[in-house]
Amino acid sequence: MKSRHRTAKRIMHMLNAALLLGLVTACGSDVGTPIGSAVAAEGLRIAAPAARIVEPKTQQVAIFAGGCFWGIEAVFERVKGVTRVESGYSGDTKATADYDLVSAGQTKHAESVRIYYDPARVSYNDLLHIFFSVAHDPTQLNRQGPDRGTQYRTAIFPANAAQRNAARAYIAQLDKAAYWQKPIVTTLEPFSFFPAETYHQDFMAKNPRHPYIVQWDKPKITNLKKLFPEYYR
């Protein structure tokens, strides 16, 4: 009887460990495959947005999606003028903004980040510049690095007409300049954002040695410091 009890307890312990591992490896579905073993791409030096943008003087919000939100969040947390960054979901309803559903591709959400920033210190155009050159590869369709699915698409969710016009103009500018061998597939979608679960917030700060963070996200921070020293903090 005691033996059966010990066996059941051991099985429960193994199941709990497996569940915990699932949480910590939320991003990186292809880690261990040739895709997941690839070296993270270098940041790309590209021209800043040419079109001028006029913004209010009060705190503003920008929402970007470009793969796993852990790395995007970590990049913008290190940008001067950014006061707060949250990981979350954009592109579908609040009712389905749940990690298990989103990561399984059962919703129309994209993993996204909500960036609060001071336009007097860093403009929306500056954030766009960093987003396209450091944070992700805008030519990867429905995937980013080792992650595949529409939930990892490259997308912008403008908060107003000024942001929408600025994003559209910059994408056209970058496409014309042909920095990449493939066209930009970043979409402009209606504004929406729902915060992700607590364990996803500040993930890099809490898990600096996580294999996914080390391989895919820390290089982005290095590139931010190298390409945007005036904005790096």
Side-chain angles (χ1 to χ4, degrees):
M1 187 74 178
K2 288 183 178 179
S3 175
R4 286 200 299 270
H5 180 72
R6 282 197 298 270
T7 301
K9 190 174 181 181
R10 189 180 303 114
I11 291 172
M12 286 300 297
H13 188 71
M14 291 170 65
L15 286 172
N16 287 335
L19 286 171
L20 179 61
L21 181 62
L23 283 180
V24 225
T25 55
C27 291
S29 55
D30 288 322
V31 169
T33 70
I35 292 174
S37 302
V39 177
E42 293 292 327
L44 185 64
R45 193 177 298 278
I46 59 179
R52 183 170 175 267
I53 182 172
V54 177
E55 300 188 83
K57 295 180 180 180
T58 55
Q59 177 177 264
Q60 297 297 297
V61 170
I63 297 179
F64 299 142
C68 177
F69 41 30
W70 296 344
I72 306 293
E73 177 193 65
V75 166
F76 287 103
E77 282 181 334
R78 288 161 176 77
V79 174
K80 292 178 181 177
V82 170
T83 56
R84 182 184 171 196
V85 186
E86 293 177 286
S87 288
Y89 312 108
S90 298
D92 207 335
T93 66
K94 181 179 181 180
T96 55
D98 171 83
Y99 183 74
D100 290 337
L101 296 175
V102 175
S103 62
Q106 296 179 17
T107 78
K108 296 179 182 179
H109 290 101
E111 288 195 10
S112 61
V113 296
R114 177 163 59 184
I115 304 161
Y116 294 86
Y117 66 99
D118 177 1
R121 300 180 61 198
V122 61
S123 72
Y124 187 73
N125 274 346
D126 296 325
L127 299 180
L128 285 173
H129 194 187
I130 292 169
F131 176 63
F132 281 101
S133 61
V134 169
H136 81 308
D137 180 346
T139 69
Q140 293 189 357
L141 181 63
N142 295 333
R143 61 165 294 180
Q144 198 66 210
D147 304 307
R148 292 186 283 186
T150 57
Q151 65 270 36
Y152 301 112
R153 66 187 180 272
T154 168
I156 297 173
F157 301 83
N160 50 52
Q163 288 188 359
R164 186 179 304 107
N165 293 337
R168 185 180 292 116
Y170 194 41
I171 291 172
Q173 175 188 333
L174 293 177
D175 263 333
K176 185 176 181 180
Y179 290 103
W180 297 270
Q181 294 182 349
K182 296 183 292 182
I184 292 172
V185 294
T186 305
T187 55
L188 299 185
E189 303 183 28
F191 183 85
S192 68
F193 183 85
F194 308 102
E197 295 77 0
T198 303
Y199 65 85
H200 284 303
Q201 307 300 334
D202 302 311
F203 193 87
M204 180 184 285
K206 297 173 184 174
N207 305 273
R209 296 182 181 178
H210 189 285
Y212 185 96
I213 293 294
V214 171
Q215 182 172 352
W216 293 98
D217 294 335
K218 285 195 172 180
K220 297 177 182 179
I221 306 304
T222 300
N223 291 328
L224 174 67
K225 186 176 182 179
K226 179 177 67 177
L227 297 179
F228 296 92
E230 69 277 25
Y231 289 113
Y232 182 81
R233 65 176 177 191

